[in-house]
Amino acid sequence: MAVDEATKKQDELELYQIDDKAIMPFFECHLEELKQFIQERRGQNLSLLELLKQFIRTYKLPFNMQRYMSVQTTYIKQVLQERMQDRQVAVSRWIQEHAGRHRNRMIQLQCLYLDRIKDKLLPEVEKMLEQRIENLQSKLDENK
């Protein structure tokens, strides 16, 4: 039980480290992939929020790669301080042992964070997708 409480507290701390300002630019940057991803799942009757979470889990991309790498560097430094090993070996070992788990944890936290901001996020993403579809339709109409 104590582990569960400690994990919850850690999750809460890490949720507040997600960069709010990076979320919409992330989806804008991956708009084509997102649009295709949503179209491929059109018959599944999933909400936009669930589709966004699936997209994040499928592509395993942090909202802010620069911040993600900075946090990962901090984790590596902490491990290096705890283990006084050759730096190259320690970094390589950390990556082998923790990088996948660290990325999966960050992706899960991003999905949890979408639940917190869904009321603001979903209308913005819907509008962005609609505009993209309209732009593509306009280009198709011009080429006819």
Side-chain angles (χ1 to χ4, degrees):
M1 189 86 147
V3 174
D4 291 343
E5 288 300 316
T7 301
K8 286 180 185 176
K9 287 180 182 179
Q10 184 66 27
D11 285 350
E12 283 295 317
L13 287 173
E14 291 180 359
L15 279 174
Y16 286 110
Q17 293 178 7
I18 292 179
D19 183 5
D20 278 352
K21 293 178 179 78
I23 296 171
M24 282 307 295
F26 168 83
F27 286 118
E28 289 170 359
C29 181
H30 299 284
L31 187 57
E32 280 304 311
E33 297 101 325
L34 178 61
K35 184 177 72 74
Q36 182 176 349
F37 186 87
I38 290 171
Q39 286 176 343
E40 290 170 358
R41 286 150 185 82
R42 196 172 295 267
Q44 294 179 0
N45 293 327
L46 298 171
S47 70
L48 180 57
L49 180 61
E50 284 301 317
L51 289 166
L52 294 177
K53 288 179 185 181
Q54 282 187 7
F55 180 80
I56 291 169
R57 287 183 181 118
T58 300
Y59 286 89
K60 294 187 176 188
L61 296 170
F63 291 140
N64 182 334
M65 183 59 84
Q66 191 172 20
R67 188 170 184 164
Y68 169 80
M69 294 302 293
S70 174
V71 170
Q72 186 167 330
T73 300
T74 301
Y75 284 135
I76 291 171
K77 287 177 182 176
Q78 288 173 349
V79 170
L80 289 177
Q81 289 173 356
E82 293 170 6
R83 302 176 189 171
M84 298 303 276
Q85 300 174 350
D86 175 55
R87 203 170 173 77
Q88 191 93 15
V89 172
V91 170
S92 176
R93 183 170 290 140
W94 186 92
I95 290 171
Q96 289 173 351
E97 294 174 6
H98 302 286
R101 207 170 4 165
H102 178 255
R103 180 168 283 215
N104 288 340
R105 181 167 171 73
M106 179 54 67
I107 297 306
Q108 182 61 29
L109 288 170
Q110 288 181 171
C111 289
L112 290 171
Y113 196 74
L114 291 182
D115 283 324
R116 287 187 174 197
I117 64 164
K118 66 184 176 193
D119 293 337
K120 179 183 175 206
L121 175 69
L122 295 179
E124 291 180 31
V125 171
E126 286 173 344
K127 181 179 176 183
M128 181 179 62
L129 287 168
E130 287 172 6
Q131 288 175 341
R132 180 66 180 152
I133 290 169
E134 288 172 6
N135 288 343
L136 288 173
Q137 190 60 48
S138 294
K139 288 180 182 179
L140 285 173
D141 292 343
E142 289 174 10
N143 291 331
K144 287 184 179 180

